[in-house]
Amino acid sequence: MKGFGSDKQAILDLITSRSNQQRIQIIQAYKSLYGKDLIDDLKYELTGKFERLIVGLMRPPAYADAKEIKDAIDGIGTDEKCLIEILASRTNQQIHALVEAYKDAYDRDLETDVVKDTSGHFKKMLIVLLQGTREEDDIVSDELVEQDARDLHEAGEQKWGTDEAQFIYILGSRSNSHLRLVFDDYEKVAGKSIEESIKGELSGDFEKLMLAVVKCIRSTKDYFATRLYKSMKGLGTSDNTLIRIMVSRSEIDMMDIRESFRTQYEKSLYSMIKNDTSGEYKKALLNLCGGDDDAAGEFFPEAAQAAYQKWELSATLASRIELKGTIFAAADFNADNDGKALRKAMKGFGTDEDSIIDILTKRTNSQRQEIRKAFKSHFGRDLMADLKSELSGTLSKLILGLMMTPAEFDAKQLNKAIAGAGTDEKVLIEILATRNNQEIQAINQAYQEAFHQSLEDAISSDTSGHLKRILVSLASANREEGGEDTDKAVDDAKIIASVLEVADSGSGDSSSLETRFMTILCTRSYPHLRRVFQEFIKQSNHDVEHTIKKEMSGDVKDAFVAIVRSVKNKPGFFAERLYKAMKGAGTDERALTRILISRSETDLFNIRKEFKDAYEKSLHHCIEGETSGDYRKALLVICGGDD
């Protein structure tokens, strides 16, 4: 640090390769040699995220936690996520050390500060955790396990309202080994996991805190792997979270967190940090991470097993979960009355948009078709033409889209994707990769009637190469509809492994293998493909989606990934599409309109749930923040509720 500028590489190399205890000794030696405070000098010489990381490493763990908590409480608003992460994950000994360090560093009582800055059940649970009195013995009483499981069930699922005190007492005081058994028993008693019950019974920061406590009791490494992933996914990086976890876990369980990260997200923590950060900050984080688990290009055995189980779960959920829309047939429906109300809303000076939205977003598509006929019979006018002349902008597109049959609407979207300046391959892929045979047959018919050209000819004239072959195959509606064939699945997995170059091809030229690969993904039934993708993991120790992303590129990669994602979890696929439509600068209203209309009577309720689980915010909340006016009103009615 002497002279002009500073040798940041030397600083990060030295500090990230010493333990915390050794760093404390360096601080003392520096003071003895130069009469200066090393942390003050580092703060002066370094800036930004790199400074926060290096200075964080120089503090003893309890003092680092104390600084994080103080920063979370001080200033405008409270960083509840930071409070939750630290207090839900620390052991009794770490909590006691944190309370002492806070008092020593700031001459303030931590409990008093938390009480002043939080409220309600959230505050009560934080205070319980701050006592650091969780039972620590490993001797478990079966009777008490059963009793606690029953008490939690009676406090939540079986009670009008929720007895939060019971949740706080049991989850805040029992030992980890005891609670793991309670969670197993709870699932037997309630028929659902403790996490599902917490999501249903609690809300806000209290819900988030209790979920974090449960996650840490089940597996601290999984909890931190998830926190790290969420800190880097999407637009921008939550650097405070990334720094805090990398500093606090580097000498405790970073290797375990890395393994959990690789298992859960099918990529290494190292590669994600590398792609999401830059400069000396990145170098220091990578040193703390300690190694790239993608270097060999192979799964850990545990990761392969987890990926295999995810496909098993996908098959189970597909057979068990009921797909639900958000728009249902209106009771006491009268097409004549609705037609008259719509005419009134559009007659005379100005348009009553509220009435139009209220009627058309609360009727099923078949009811809207009846309204169209009744409107024509009564007034001799075309309802679609009237709506088009009275409405404008995004609201007009949304309402007119609702008035078309599903097949007409999809056909129109496909035509727009093909006919405009340039081809919108993402729209072609989204629609054709996710519709079933019956839906695609209806789209073909609607396309021919509306545009006097077959859909296949339109695709062929506007696309080329492998993408054209994939889209034409999907548009042919030739997907098998039976169950799985285990022997055929083994052979299909071999072909996929050969094409993706993770296994020897044996025999056959590459072009015929590629054709067979495309045939497998475009024509095999969903249940069969789930089995194929499991067999692929067994044979290659790779996950098919991860491998396609690595080995392929461009629109062909996007098409095959869309098929795989649709097979694995179709509502999850659409949840991600909606998230991408709204994140970042500007909103992709076309995607938002298209997905909400097309899924409103199919699985939009399930998409909402996947959205909340994946992004920790509701679809309703995102639409509310990203849209405005009558368009927003209509979208929120279609969305059907705020989760």
Side-chain angles (χ1 to χ4, degrees):
M1 294 185 282
K2 201 173 179 185
F4 181 72
S6 54
D7 184 349
K8 295 181 179 68
Q9 186 68 45
I11 293 170
L12 77 88
D13 280 346
L14 194 143
I15 289 176
T16 60
S17 61
R18 301 293 184 269
S19 69
N20 190 267
Q21 201 173 8
Q22 289 173 326
R23 292 183 209 117
I24 304 306
Q25 290 174 36
I26 294 169
I27 290 172
Q28 292 160 353
Y30 191 89
K31 186 87 167 178
S32 300
L33 287 166
Y34 308 111
K36 300 175 77 167
D37 185 293
L38 176 54
I39 290 182
D40 286 346
D41 280 6
L42 287 166
K43 282 181 177 177
Y44 180 79
E45 289 290 335
L46 309 176
T47 58
K49 296 174 282 195
F50 182 53
E51 178 220 317
R52 293 210 305 273
L53 175 62
I54 294 297
V55 170
L57 286 166
M58 299 309 296
R59 294 191 178 100
Y63 284 82
D65 279 351
K67 176 75 165 70
E68 290 291 326
I69 295 268
K70 180 177 175 290
D71 289 348
I73 291 172
D74 282 357
I76 301 163
T78 306
D79 183 353
E80 289 86 3
K81 285 181 180 173
C82 173
L83 290 179
I84 289 168
E85 180 198 297
I86 292 174
L87 297 181
S89 65
R90 302 307 192 247
T91 64
N92 288 345
Q93 292 74 17
Q94 288 169 331
I95 294 281
H96 297 153
L98 159 63
V99 171
E100 285 175 30
Y102 192 89
K103 181 74 175 170
D104 180 49
Y106 309 112
D107 197 26
R108 283 156 46 179
D109 179 64
L110 178 52
E111 185 176 322
T112 305
D113 283 359
V114 168
V115 167
K116 278 194 294 192
D117 222 60
T118 58
S119 61
H121 298 298
F122 178 58
K123 174 178 75 177
K124 288 175 191 169
M125 185 62 178
L126 289 176
I127 298 309
V128 167
L129 295 172
L130 269 173
Q131 307 315 301
T133 53
R134 185 177 295 287
E135 296 162 4
E136 292 182 325
D137 57 58
D138 286 329
I139 300 162
V140 176
S141 156
D142 291 341
E143 289 81 4
L144 188 56
V145 165
E146 289 171 18
Q147 184 63 50
D148 281 351
R150 276 199 307 275
D151 287 349
L152 285 171
H153 187 229
E154 285 164 13
E157 295 289 332
Q158 291 200 320
K159 192 178 175 69
W160 181 261
T162 305
D163 182 359
E164 288 88 354
Q166 194 70 274
F167 276 83
I168 290 170
Y169 172 66
I170 294 172
L171 293 181
S173 63
R174 301 285 194 240
S175 73
N176 288 4
S177 50
H178 173 87
L179 283 171
R180 286 184 201 114
L181 294 173
V182 170
F183 298 158
D184 291 342
D185 255 39
Y186 182 89
E187 195 150 356
K188 291 173 194 165
V189 173
K192 60 170 74 171
S193 70
I194 186 74
E195 289 92 338
E196 287 176 281
S197 288
I198 288 171
K199 286 175 187 175
E201 296 294 326
L202 311 179
S203 61
D205 292 322
F206 182 47
E207 175 199 341
K208 288 172 189 161
L209 173 58
M210 297 308 255
L211 287 171
V213 168
V214 169
K215 184 99 179 180
C216 287
I217 285 160
R218 287 196 190 276
S219 169
T220 312
K221 65 176 183 177
D222 289 350
Y223 172 72
F224 281 115
T226 302
R227 290 281 293 150
L228 284 167
Y229 178 72
K230 288 182 176 175
S231 76
M232 291 181 280
K233 76 166 187 174
L235 196 72
T237 302
S238 175
D239 293 293
N240 284 349
T241 303
L242 183 55
I243 291 167
R244 185 170 58 246
I245 297 173
M246 296 303 289
V247 168
S248 66
R249 310 312 292 187
S250 57
E251 292 181 48
I252 299 173
D253 53 3
M254 185 53 70
M255 278 294 290
D256 298 314
I257 291 167
R258 270 171 46 186
E259 185 176 326
S260 173
F261 194 99
R262 186 68 180 81
T263 301
Q264 288 188 70
Y265 304 111
E266 294 157 19
K267 63 181 81 175
S268 68
L269 174 59
Y270 188 98
S271 67
M272 201 156 179
I273 291 170
K274 192 174 175 182
N275 293 329
D276 232 62
T277 57
S278 60
E280 282 87 7
Y281 174 56
K282 171 169 80 173
K283 289 176 189 171
L285 285 171
L286 292 177
N287 283 3
L288 292 176
C289 181
D292 186 1
D293 306 308
D294 268 346
E298 296 284 333
F299 273 137
F300 291 130
E302 294 85 353
Q305 190 178 356
Y308 186 90
Q309 285 164 352
K310 278 183 185 173
W311 282 109
E312 198 70 55
L313 180 65
S314 166
T316 307
L317 293 178
S319 61
R320 247 179 34 193
I321 284 188
E322 180 193 356
L323 296 177
K324 287 194 289 189
T326 53
I327 294 180
F328 306 98
D332 304 321
F333 169 66
N334 186 306
D336 289 342
N337 289 346
D338 282 349
K340 288 171 187 171
L342 287 168
R343 175 71 178 139
K344 185 181 174 187
M346 293 185 282
K347 202 174 179 184
F349 185 71
T351 305
D352 181 358
E353 285 91 353
D354 284 347
S355 293
I356 294 170
I357 291 167
D358 193 54
I359 293 167
L360 296 180
T361 58
K362 293 176 182 175
R363 305 292 184 268
T364 61
N365 193 271
S366 59
Q367 288 178 329
R368 290 185 215 115
Q369 302 314 313
E370 288 185 52
I371 295 169
R372 277 177 79 174
K373 289 174 192 165
F375 195 88
K376 186 82 170 175
S377 298
H378 271 286
F379 306 109
R381 301 172 69 93
D382 184 333
L383 176 55
M384 294 279 279
D386 280 8
L387 288 166
K388 196 170 184 178
S389 71
E390 292 291 330
L391 305 174
S392 62
T394 48
L395 178 65
S396 173
K397 291 185 175 76
L398 179 66
I399 295 296
L400 291 170
L402 286 169
M403 293 307 302
M404 296 176 191
T405 67
E408 286 169 348
F409 180 70
D410 277 348
K412 182 82 187 290
Q413 300 306 302
L414 289 167
N415 179 257
K416 273 187 185 172
I418 291 168
T423 306
D424 190 339
E425 289 86 359
K426 281 188 167 60
V427 174
L428 298 179
I429 290 165
E430 179 199 295
I431 293 174
L432 294 174
T434 59
R435 304 306 193 252
N436 62 35
N437 286 346
Q438 291 73 22
E439 289 167 336
I440 288 177
Q441 285 161 3
I443 292 167
N444 273 298
Q445 191 177 338
Y447 198 95
Q448 182 70 51
E449 286 171 10
F451 307 108
H452 311 293
Q453 181 187 22
S454 75
L455 177 58
E456 184 180 326
D457 287 347
I459 291 168
S460 297
S461 64
D462 219 61
T463 57
S464 61
H466 288 307
L467 179 66
K468 176 171 90 171
R469 291 170 64 202
I470 294 164
L471 295 175
V472 167
S473 178
L474 292 172
S476 303
N478 285 329
R479 192 172 291 286
E480 295 160 3
E481 294 182 342
E484 63 186 67
D485 178 332
T486 309
D487 292 337
K488 189 157 73 165
V490 173
D491 293 337
D492 286 348
K494 282 179 187 166
I495 291 163
I496 292 175
S498 300
V499 172
L500 295 176
E501 296 179 0
V502 290
D504 293 328
S505 60
S507 60
D509 65 272
S510 62
S511 63
S512 90
L513 276 173
E514 283 171 5
T515 302
R516 289 167 73 190
F517 172 80
M518 190 189 74
T519 302
I520 291 164
L521 266 73
C522 295
T523 67
R524 300 287 194 259
S525 72
Y526 276 22
H528 180 79
L529 282 173
R530 289 187 191 102
R531 179 60 60 198
V532 171
F533 299 151
Q534 281 186 301
E535 286 297 329
F536 178 82
I537 294 166
K538 268 193 201 173
Q539 292 176 24
S540 67
N541 210 31
H542 289 67
D543 179 72
V544 69
E545 182 182 342
H546 187 253
T547 311
I548 288 170
K549 285 176 178 174
K550 194 174 172 186
E551 297 295 332
M552 295 184 166
S553 61
D555 298 323
V556 171
K557 175 193 77 175
D558 291 344
F560 283 137
V561 166
I563 293 168
V564 172
R565 293 289 311 280
S566 186
V567 171
K568 185 187 275 185
N569 178 354
K570 197 178 287 185
F573 170 76
F574 281 115
E576 184 183 19
R577 293 281 290 152
L578 284 167
Y579 178 71
K580 286 180 176 173
M582 291 183 281
K583 77 166 188 174
T587 301
D588 182 352
E589 279 107 353
R590 285 180 64 186
L592 196 51
T593 300
R594 181 176 64 249
I595 296 170
L596 259 73
I597 289 175
S598 64
R599 310 315 294 181
S600 60
E601 292 180 49
T602 310
D603 54 4
L604 188 52
F605 181 82
N606 308 81
I607 292 167
R608 270 173 36 191
K609 186 176 183 304
E610 293 290 337
F611 194 99
K612 179 80 190 309
D613 288 348
Y615 306 110
E616 293 186 328
K617 59 184 89 170
S618 68
L619 177 58
H620 184 284
H621 173 78
C622 286
I623 292 170
E624 203 168 33
E626 292 293 328
T627 59
S628 60
D630 292 320
Y631 177 59
R632 174 169 64 189
K633 278 184 205 168
L635 286 174
L636 291 177
V637 178
I638 296 168
C639 181
D642 187 357
D643 305 303

